[in-house]
Amino acid sequence: MTLLFKQTKALEKKLDDYLDLVIKGAFLFRVGVKYYLNGDMDDLETRIESINECEHDGDKLRRDIESALYTETLIPESRGDVLGLLEACDRVLNMTAETLNQFYTELPFFLPEVKEQYINLSEVCMTAVDQMVAAVRAYFKDIVNVRDYIRKVQLSESESDKIARKIKHTVFRTDIQLSQKMHMRYFALHIELIADEAEDVCDRLSIAAIKRSL
Amino acid sequence: MIWFFLLSGLFLGWSLGSNDAANIFGTAVGTRMIKFKTAAIIGSIFVIIGAVISGAGASHTLGKLGAVNAIAGSFTVALAAAVTVAWMTKLKLPVSTSQAIVGAIIGWNLFTGSPTDMTSLYKILSTWVICPVLTAVFAYLLYLVFKKWLLKWEVHLLRQDVYTRMGLILIGAFGAYSLGANNIANVMGVFVPAHPFGEMGFLDLFTLSGTQVLFLIGGLAISVGIFTYSKKVMMTVGNDIFKLTPIAALIVVLAESMVLFLFASKSLEHFLLSHGLPAIPLVPVSSSQAVVGGVVGIALAKKGRGINYRILGKISSGWVTTPIAAGVLSFISLFFMQNVFNLEVYKKPEATATILQEKAGTTAIAAGEKEFRKISIDEIENHLTTNKRSDKNETL
């Protein structure tokens, strides 16, 4: 039993570390977008390196956790749900890293009047990610509050939809080239999709939380 | 020959072990919270301990229902019950060892013309209803307590998993103890008036009475049943009536164990009586029906959603079909034993009285011998002391 407690403690730490990486990824995305929109490409580059490292470490940790859950036959009833949640969280982290990388690779053009809205959009979407992580943590330790965090994610996702729609509305009513309009639309969509993915994690989480109740 | 006659009881014990161990460790093993090997070892040890230490209470009530006083009769009664259990299990019908043995004893009473003690019968019948109802009440209350406690506790899911495993093992051990204490009467109860075992000492550590030796053998048969056949049952149990989470399973097993313990504990009976409270009858009850009660209790605590009433009805039907089937089979088998194999399945009261007198006489002689020996030693000691004194006087 002592061994089991030790293993459990180590695994708890790994789970926390993994969720910390998702939070870190969201933070790097926030500042990375700001740096790009302000033209600080060097700072963006370092943040991109960090977020890629985050993604890589996250993948490794997730695999470790999954393998430990199976080999040590822990939480047999909730194992499927936990693995599903971790994989869904991993998609969020991957999408965050990939979108930030696209900024650096594709160097999109942004109209000055929508720059602030892009910053807002990324803020709201990353708030959704933060709340999603809080919800996942609550699933493990504080099941009563899962519902509250899920609600916050839903509100953030809904807000991100509105901001993205507003950006597209503004962009497609200007006289710039269609390719630039499409490019801006593409980035608004991709940032918005991160919040959508966070909401998907929460949908999965709400079912898992019901199953976890006695 | 005694070992041959005990075979039917051992068969019944094996059936009980293979079926009823699943009521204690079923969900834990089925959901892979506990390894089968761990469950089997713990279950076996505690079933034997429960049977030997606390098995007497419930078997006394069965003895009052019908004192099967010839070993061939005990054999037939246990065999009828065992065949009923095995046959109904094969037909996938709900079955209880407790109800089978009661039916078989009544079959013996009817065949031999012995009166059935209606007070004991009513007591037993009432507990068949009380047992699942009481388990449901316990499970309901425990569910509410656990729910509140878990919400307050805020323990990590992974750590909760470890605590649940520990709980399943500890409560499983208590459940196995209670099962042994309560249900050994079903397996070996009918052999109590007719068994030939005497006291047996174990390495000067403890001594078992003849009945306890009988219960030890019965407990071993249950353990063999647990090891050889219960895995299959454990892997399929638990999801029929209502799907249980490991914690809910823990609550059900705890409620079931408490009820089995209540109906088997002589100490509790003494405690209640000494405090002027009504005692709980010591009666072998069905662990399967206790589990059903527990599961229904949990389901009711969850506002009754998801109960499979069809399966519940099917299980309840076992209350009627099992004792009737065992009773009829016991009656027919006793007829064959007596008239075809010429075996004595019943001793007339006079014969029984003579045996008891003989036994009493032997005991009196043995007591007399002890007394004689004691007197002789005392006399020798006195004699030696007197001699020593006279020697001293002579020297002086």
Side-chain angles (χ1 to χ4, degrees), chain B residues 237-256:
Chain B
V237 88
N239 298 331
D240 280 355
I241 313 162
F242 190 84
K243 189 156 170 49
L244 293 175
T245 62
I247 296 181
L250 187 139
I251 293 168
V252 169
V253 177
L254 181 59
E256 176 205 354

Side-chain angles (χ1 to χ4, degrees), chain B residues 20-259:
Chain B
D20 290 13
N23 296 332
I24 293 163
F25 285 110
T27 315
V29 173
T31 54
R32 297 180 199 282
M33 290 291 280
I34 300 178
K35 284 181 192 159
F36 170 73
K37 206 174 161 187
T38 314
I41 291 170
I42 293 167
S44 300
I45 292 170
F46 282 91
V47 154
I48 293 171
I49 294 174
V52 174
I53 294 177
S54 307
S59 61
H60 182 65
T61 312
L62 266 195
K64 273 203 268 180
L65 180 69
V68 186
N69 53 11
I71 192 80
S74 308
F75 167 81
T76 316
V77 167
L79 185 67
V83 169
T84 308
V85 170
W87 179 46
M88 288 183 73
T89 308
K90 197 164 190 298
L91 293 176
K92 294 191 171 148
L93 290 169
V95 66
S96 149
T97 323
S98 311
Q99 285 150 12
I101 201 75
V102 166
I105 290 173
I106 292 172
W108 183 86
N109 284 349
L110 293 173
F111 180 77
T112 58
S114 308
T116 301
D117 179 7
M118 293 313 280
T119 318
S120 298
L121 183 63
Y122 288 141
K123 205 193 253 185
I124 291 170
L125 291 180
S126 64
T127 55
W128 288 356
V129 182
I130 294 168
C131 165
V133 172
L134 198 60
T135 319
V137 172
F138 281 176
Y140 184 94
L141 296 174
L142 284 168
Y143 177 86
L144 298 180
V145 171
F146 267 70
K147 198 175 175 185
K148 206 169 181 183
W149 182 48
L150 277 174
L151 288 178
K152 265 191 178 175
W153 195 19
E154 288 184 6
V155 65
H156 196 283
L157 176 66
L158 289 165
R159 213 168 297 182
Q160 185 185 305
D161 180 65
V162 180
Y163 290 129
T164 310
R165 280 166 204 253
M166 282 167 69
L168 284 168
I169 289 175
L170 289 174
I171 292 167
F174 173 49
Y177 177 90
S178 305
L179 181 72
N182 187 283
N183 277 204
I184 193 68
N186 300 333
V187 177
M188 288 291 156
V190 286
F191 293 96
V192 170
H195 76 84
F197 300 113
E199 274 191 2
M200 196 182 272
F202 286 84
L203 301 167
D204 290 339
L205 291 171
F206 57 91
T207 309
L208 298 182
S209 69
T211 307
Q212 282 179 315
V213 174
L214 183 73
F215 289 168
L216 173 67
I217 296 164
L220 286 169
I222 298 174
S223 304
V224 174
I226 295 175
F227 268 101
T228 54
Y229 205 75
S230 67
K231 189 174 183 181
K232 210 172 151 188
V233 187
M234 283 184 190
M235 298 309 276
T236 51
V237 88
N239 298 331
D240 280 355
I241 313 162
F242 190 84
K243 189 156 170 49
L244 293 175
T245 62
I247 296 181
L250 187 139
I251 293 168
V252 169
V253 177
L254 181 59
E256 176 205 354
S257 309
M258 284 161 72
V259 170

Side-chain angles (χ1 to χ4, degrees), chain A residues 12 73 76-77 140 212 214, chain B residues 157 159-160 165 246-247 302:
Chain A
E12 274 176 41
T73 59
E77 279 288 294
F140 286 111
R212 233 205 100 180
L214 275 182
Chain B
L157 176 66
R159 213 168 297 182
Q160 185 185 305
R165 280 166 204 253
I247 296 181
K302 286 184 167 184

